[in-house]
PDB file of all heavy atoms in Angstrom:
ATOM      1  N   MET D   1     -42.520 -11.618  10.402  1.00 93.00           N
ATOM      2  CA  MET D   1     -43.524 -11.037  11.213  1.00 93.00           C
ATOM      3  C   MET D   1     -44.391 -10.180  10.362  1.00 93.00           C
ATOM      4  O   MET D   1     -43.905  -9.360   9.565  1.00 93.00           O
ATOM      5  CB  MET D   1     -42.812 -10.201  12.367  1.00 93.00           C
ATOM      6  CG  MET D   1     -43.908  -9.469  13.275  1.00 93.00           C
ATOM      7  SD  MET D   1     -43.081  -8.548  14.541  1.00 93.00           S
ATOM      8  CE  MET D   1     -42.339  -9.845  15.566  1.00 93.00           C
ATOM      9  N   HIS D  20     -34.371   5.657  27.403  1.00 98.00           N
ATOM     10  CA  HIS D  20     -33.087   5.212  27.847  1.00 98.00           C
ATOM     11  C   HIS D  20     -31.985   6.236  27.418  1.00 98.00           C
ATOM     12  O   HIS D  20     -31.112   6.567  28.315  1.00 98.00           O
ATOM     13  CB  HIS D  20     -32.830   3.928  27.165  1.00 98.00           C
ATOM     14  CG  HIS D  20     -31.423   3.216  27.515  1.00 98.00           C
ATOM     15  ND1 HIS D  20     -31.133   2.921  28.730  1.00 98.00           N
ATOM     16  CD2 HIS D  20     -30.381   2.881  26.656  1.00 98.00           C
ATOM     17  CE1 HIS D  20     -29.841   2.444  28.767  1.00 98.00           C
ATOM     18  NE2 HIS D  20     -29.391   2.333  27.510  1.00 98.00           N
ATOM     19  N   ASP D  23     -32.449   9.543  29.679  1.00 98.00           N
ATOM     20  CA  ASP D  23     -32.107   9.399  31.045  1.00 98.00           C
ATOM     21  C   ASP D  23     -30.674   9.188  31.330  1.00 98.00           C
ATOM     22  O   ASP D  23     -30.231   9.526  32.427  1.00 98.00           O
ATOM     23  CB  ASP D  23     -32.913   8.209  31.689  1.00 98.00           C
ATOM     24  CG  ASP D  23     -34.383   8.531  31.702  1.00 98.00           C
ATOM     25  OD1 ASP D  23     -34.723   9.651  31.579  1.00 98.00           O
ATOM     26  OD2 ASP D  23     -35.225   7.554  31.973  1.00 98.00           O
ATOM     27  N   LEU D  51     -37.646  14.710  17.073  1.00 98.00           N
ATOM     28  CA  LEU D  51     -36.427  14.604  17.762  1.00 98.00           C
ATOM     29  C   LEU D  51     -35.327  15.215  17.008  1.00 98.00           C
ATOM     30  O   LEU D  51     -35.191  15.145  15.865  1.00 98.00           O
ATOM     31  CB  LEU D  51     -36.055  13.257  18.153  1.00 98.00           C
ATOM     32  CG  LEU D  51     -37.216  12.581  18.989  1.00 98.00           C
ATOM     33  CD1 LEU D  51     -36.862  10.903  19.215  1.00 98.00           C
ATOM     34  CD2 LEU D  51     -37.413  13.203  20.379  1.00 98.00           C
ATOM     35  N   VAL D  90     -15.729   6.392  19.477  1.00 95.00           N
ATOM     36  CA  VAL D  90     -15.768   5.115  20.401  1.00 95.00           C
ATOM     37  C   VAL D  90     -17.189   4.759  20.568  1.00 95.00           C
ATOM     38  O   VAL D  90     -18.035   5.532  20.972  1.00 95.00           O
ATOM     39  CB  VAL D  90     -15.060   5.440  21.635  1.00 95.00           C
ATOM     40  CG1 VAL D  90     -15.138   4.109  22.664  1.00 95.00           C
ATOM     41  CG2 VAL D  90     -13.461   5.749  21.389  1.00 95.00           C
ATOM     42  N   ASP D  97     -26.186  -6.409  23.473  1.00 98.00           N
ATOM     43  CA  ASP D  97     -25.897  -5.710  22.207  1.00 98.00           C
ATOM     44  C   ASP D  97     -25.085  -6.657  21.304  1.00 98.00           C
ATOM     45  O   ASP D  97     -25.387  -6.732  20.124  1.00 98.00           O
ATOM     46  CB  ASP D  97     -25.039  -4.398  22.456  1.00 98.00           C
ATOM     47  CG  ASP D  97     -25.889  -3.326  23.210  1.00 98.00           C
ATOM     48  OD1 ASP D  97     -27.078  -3.268  23.153  1.00 98.00           O
ATOM     49  OD2 ASP D  97     -25.104  -2.455  23.772  1.00 98.00           O
ATOM     50  N   ASN D 100     -27.315  -9.430  20.026  1.00 98.00           N
ATOM     51  CA  ASN D 100     -28.248  -8.837  18.876  1.00 98.00           C
ATOM     52  C   ASN D 100     -27.463  -8.636  17.594  1.00 98.00           C
ATOM     53  O   ASN D 100     -27.994  -8.982  16.520  1.00 98.00           O
ATOM     54  CB  ASN D 100     -28.849  -7.570  19.302  1.00 98.00           C
ATOM     55  CG  ASN D 100     -30.004  -7.721  20.404  1.00 98.00           C
ATOM     56  OD1 ASN D 100     -30.590  -8.770  20.497  1.00 98.00           O
ATOM     57  ND2 ASN D 100     -30.191  -6.678  21.196  1.00 98.00           N
ATOM     58  N   SER D 150      -8.733 -13.237   9.312  1.00 94.00           N
ATOM     59  CA  SER D 150      -8.557 -11.859   9.166  1.00 94.00           C
ATOM     60  C   SER D 150      -8.063 -11.562   7.667  1.00 94.00           C
ATOM     61  O   SER D 150      -8.213 -12.429   6.845  1.00 94.00           O
ATOM     62  CB  SER D 150      -7.564 -11.304  10.193  1.00 94.00           C
ATOM     63  OG  SER D 150      -7.371  -9.954  10.250  1.00 94.00           O
ATOM     64  N   GLY D 152      -4.999 -10.289   4.850  1.00 89.00           N
ATOM     65  CA  GLY D 152      -3.595 -10.579   4.665  1.00 89.00           C
ATOM     66  C   GLY D 152      -3.231 -11.958   4.332  1.00 89.00           C
ATOM     67  O   GLY D 152      -4.077 -12.874   4.449  1.00 89.00           O
ATOM     68  N   ASN D 153      -1.961 -12.248   3.836  1.00 93.00           N
ATOM     69  CA  ASN D 153      -1.461 -13.526   3.561  1.00 93.00           C
ATOM     70  C   ASN D 153      -2.511 -14.170   2.600  1.00 93.00           C
ATOM     71  O   ASN D 153      -2.900 -15.252   2.926  1.00 93.00           O
ATOM     72  CB  ASN D 153      -1.300 -14.288   4.751  1.00 93.00           C
ATOM     73  CG  ASN D 153      -0.322 -15.493   4.590  1.00 93.00           C
ATOM     74  OD1 ASN D 153       0.070 -15.808   3.441  1.00 93.00           O
ATOM     75  ND2 ASN D 153       0.258 -15.994   5.654  1.00 93.00           N
ATOM     76  N   LYS D 155      -2.418 -15.942  -0.251  1.00 96.00           N
ATOM     77  CA  LYS D 155      -2.197 -17.296  -0.743  1.00 96.00           C
ATOM     78  C   LYS D 155      -2.583 -18.212   0.298  1.00 96.00           C
ATOM     79  O   LYS D 155      -3.195 -19.265   0.040  1.00 96.00           O
ATOM     80  CB  LYS D 155      -0.690 -17.470  -1.130  1.00 96.00           C
ATOM     81  CG  LYS D 155      -0.247 -16.785  -2.382  1.00 96.00           C
ATOM     82  CD  LYS D 155       1.116 -17.234  -2.937  1.00 96.00           C
ATOM     83  CE  LYS D 155       1.429 -16.583  -4.110  1.00 96.00           C
ATOM     84  NZ  LYS D 155       2.782 -16.882  -4.655  1.00 96.00           N
ATOM     85  N   GLY D 187      -3.440 -21.516 -10.036  1.00 97.00           N
ATOM     86  CA  GLY D 187      -3.829 -22.662 -10.857  1.00 97.00           C
ATOM     87  C   GLY D 187      -5.215 -23.212 -10.528  1.00 97.00           C
ATOM     88  O   GLY D 187      -5.480 -24.344 -11.102  1.00 97.00           O
ATOM     89  N   ASP D 189      -9.478 -23.114 -10.190  1.00 97.00           N
ATOM     90  CA  ASP D 189     -10.705 -22.487 -10.603  1.00 97.00           C
ATOM     91  C   ASP D 189     -11.705 -22.515  -9.551  1.00 97.00           C
ATOM     92  O   ASP D 189     -12.231 -23.567  -9.078  1.00 97.00           O
ATOM     93  CB  ASP D 189     -11.207 -23.301 -11.787  1.00 97.00           C
ATOM     94  CG  ASP D 189     -12.622 -22.661 -12.304  1.00 97.00           C
ATOM     95  OD1 ASP D 189     -13.068 -21.678 -11.720  1.00 97.00           O
ATOM     96  OD2 ASP D 189     -13.216 -23.233 -13.270  1.00 97.00           O
ATOM     97  N   GLY D 202     -18.906  -6.282   2.211  1.00 93.00           N
ATOM     98  CA  GLY D 202     -19.305  -5.006   2.516  1.00 93.00           C
ATOM     99  C   GLY D 202     -18.207  -4.098   2.878  1.00 93.00           C
ATOM    100  O   GLY D 202     -16.970  -4.445   2.686  1.00 93.00           O
ATOM    101  N   SER D 229     -20.072   1.318  12.243  1.00 92.00           N
ATOM    102  CA  SER D 229     -19.789   1.138  13.728  1.00 92.00           C
ATOM    103  C   SER D 229     -20.522   2.048  14.625  1.00 92.00           C
ATOM    104  O   SER D 229     -20.805   1.541  15.717  1.00 92.00           O
ATOM    105  CB  SER D 229     -18.291   1.449  13.977  1.00 92.00           C
ATOM    106  OG  SER D 229     -17.857   2.710  13.675  1.00 92.00           O
ATOM    107  N   SER D 299     -40.215  -0.661  -0.052  1.00 95.00           N
ATOM    108  CA  SER D 299     -41.179  -1.338   0.638  1.00 95.00           C
ATOM    109  C   SER D 299     -41.948  -2.401  -0.091  1.00 95.00           C
ATOM    110  O   SER D 299     -42.890  -3.072   0.358  1.00 95.00           O
ATOM    111  CB  SER D 299     -42.306  -0.253   1.064  1.00 95.00           C
ATOM    112  OG  SER D 299     -41.671   0.668   1.923  1.00 95.00           O
ATOM    113  N   GLN D 336     -18.583   2.327 -12.058  1.00 79.00           N
ATOM    114  CA  GLN D 336     -19.521   1.779 -12.944  1.00 79.00           C
ATOM    115  C   GLN D 336     -19.112   1.954 -14.437  1.00 79.00           C
ATOM    116  O   GLN D 336     -19.283   0.914 -15.179  1.00 79.00           O
ATOM    117  CB  GLN D 336     -20.917   2.454 -12.676  1.00 79.00           C
ATOM    118  CG  GLN D 336     -22.053   1.717 -13.394  1.00 79.00           C
ATOM    119  CD  GLN D 336     -22.272   0.259 -12.916  1.00 79.00           C
ATOM    120  OE1 GLN D 336     -22.278   0.091 -11.757  1.00 79.00           O
ATOM    121  NE2 GLN D 336     -22.532  -0.635 -13.791  1.00 79.00           N
ATOM    122  N   VAL D 361      -8.849  15.988 -12.585  1.00 84.00           N
ATOM    123  CA  VAL D 361      -9.120  14.513 -12.218  1.00 84.00           C
ATOM    124  C   VAL D 361      -8.296  13.627 -13.191  1.00 84.00           C
ATOM    125  O   VAL D 361      -8.451  13.693 -14.473  1.00 84.00           O
ATOM    126  CB  VAL D 361     -10.553  14.173 -12.360  1.00 84.00           C
ATOM    127  CG1 VAL D 361     -10.889  12.793 -11.813  1.00 84.00           C
ATOM    128  CG2 VAL D 361     -11.435  15.235 -11.723  1.00 84.00           C
ATOM    129  N   ILE D 373      -1.952  -5.361 -26.006  1.00 70.00           N
ATOM    130  CA  ILE D 373      -1.707  -3.896 -26.567  1.00 70.00           C
ATOM    131  C   ILE D 373      -0.443  -4.064 -27.581  1.00 70.00           C
ATOM    132  O   ILE D 373       0.653  -3.860 -27.128  1.00 70.00           O
ATOM    133  CB  ILE D 373      -1.321  -2.979 -25.455  1.00 70.00           C
ATOM    134  CG1 ILE D 373      -2.563  -2.993 -24.395  1.00 70.00           C
ATOM    135  CG2 ILE D 373      -1.170  -1.521 -25.935  1.00 70.00           C
ATOM    136  CD1 ILE D 373      -2.158  -2.174 -23.177  1.00 70.00           C
ATOM    137  N   LEU D 379      -3.879   1.498 -27.553  1.00 85.00           N
ATOM    138  CA  LEU D 379      -3.917   2.066 -26.156  1.00 85.00           C
ATOM    139  C   LEU D 379      -4.574   3.417 -26.289  1.00 85.00           C
ATOM    140  O   LEU D 379      -5.411   3.587 -25.369  1.00 85.00           O
ATOM    141  CB  LEU D 379      -2.480   2.152 -25.643  1.00 85.00           C
ATOM    142  CG  LEU D 379      -2.317   2.454 -24.130  1.00 85.00           C
ATOM    143  CD1 LEU D 379      -2.920   1.225 -23.386  1.00 85.00           C
ATOM    144  CD2 LEU D 379      -0.857   2.594 -23.748  1.00 85.00           C
ATOM    145  N   ILE D 402      -3.628   4.913 -18.330  1.00 89.00           N
ATOM    146  CA  ILE D 402      -3.566   3.523 -18.215  1.00 89.00           C
ATOM    147  C   ILE D 402      -2.139   3.009 -17.994  1.00 89.00           C
ATOM    148  O   ILE D 402      -1.209   3.361 -18.480  1.00 89.00           O
ATOM    149  CB  ILE D 402      -3.861   2.984 -19.754  1.00 89.00           C
ATOM    150  CG1 ILE D 402      -5.283   3.557 -20.131  1.00 89.00           C
ATOM    151  CG2 ILE D 402      -3.941   1.473 -19.669  1.00 89.00           C
ATOM    152  CD1 ILE D 402      -5.884   3.143 -21.582  1.00 89.00           C
ATOM    153  N   PRO D 405      -0.689  -3.789 -15.746  1.00 84.00           N
ATOM    154  CA  PRO D 405      -1.442  -4.699 -14.896  1.00 84.00           C
ATOM    155  C   PRO D 405      -0.652  -4.938 -13.575  1.00 84.00           C
ATOM    156  O   PRO D 405       0.566  -4.964 -13.622  1.00 84.00           O
ATOM    157  CB  PRO D 405      -1.582  -5.996 -15.741  1.00 84.00           C
ATOM    158  CG  PRO D 405      -1.510  -5.544 -17.148  1.00 84.00           C
ATOM    159  CD  PRO D 405      -0.626  -4.448 -17.175  1.00 84.00           C
ATOM    160  N   ARG D 422      -5.770  18.192  -3.624  1.00 70.00           N
ATOM    161  CA  ARG D 422      -6.041  19.590  -3.831  1.00 70.00           C
ATOM    162  C   ARG D 422      -5.569  20.502  -2.592  1.00 70.00           C
ATOM    163  O   ARG D 422      -5.245  21.599  -2.889  1.00 70.00           O
ATOM    164  CB  ARG D 422      -7.466  19.646  -4.139  1.00 70.00           C
ATOM    165  CG  ARG D 422      -7.828  19.236  -5.483  1.00 70.00           C
ATOM    166  CD  ARG D 422      -9.374  19.205  -5.668  1.00 70.00           C
ATOM    167  NE  ARG D 422     -10.047  18.344  -4.769  1.00 70.00           N
ATOM    168  CZ  ARG D 422     -11.418  18.253  -4.903  1.00 70.00           C
ATOM    169  NH1 ARG D 422     -12.105  18.902  -5.782  1.00 70.00           N
ATOM    170  NH2 ARG D 422     -11.999  17.480  -3.969  1.00 70.00           N
TER     171      ARG D 422
END
Side-chain angles (χ1 to χ4, degrees):
M1 181 181 288
H20 178 61
D23 288 346
L51 303 177
V90 172
D97 293 337
N100 287 335
S150 191
N153 201 343
K155 288 187 176 179
D189 177 356
S229 61
S299 298
Q336 189 63 42
V361 188
I373 306 176
L379 195 63
I402 300 178
R422 291 176 294 183

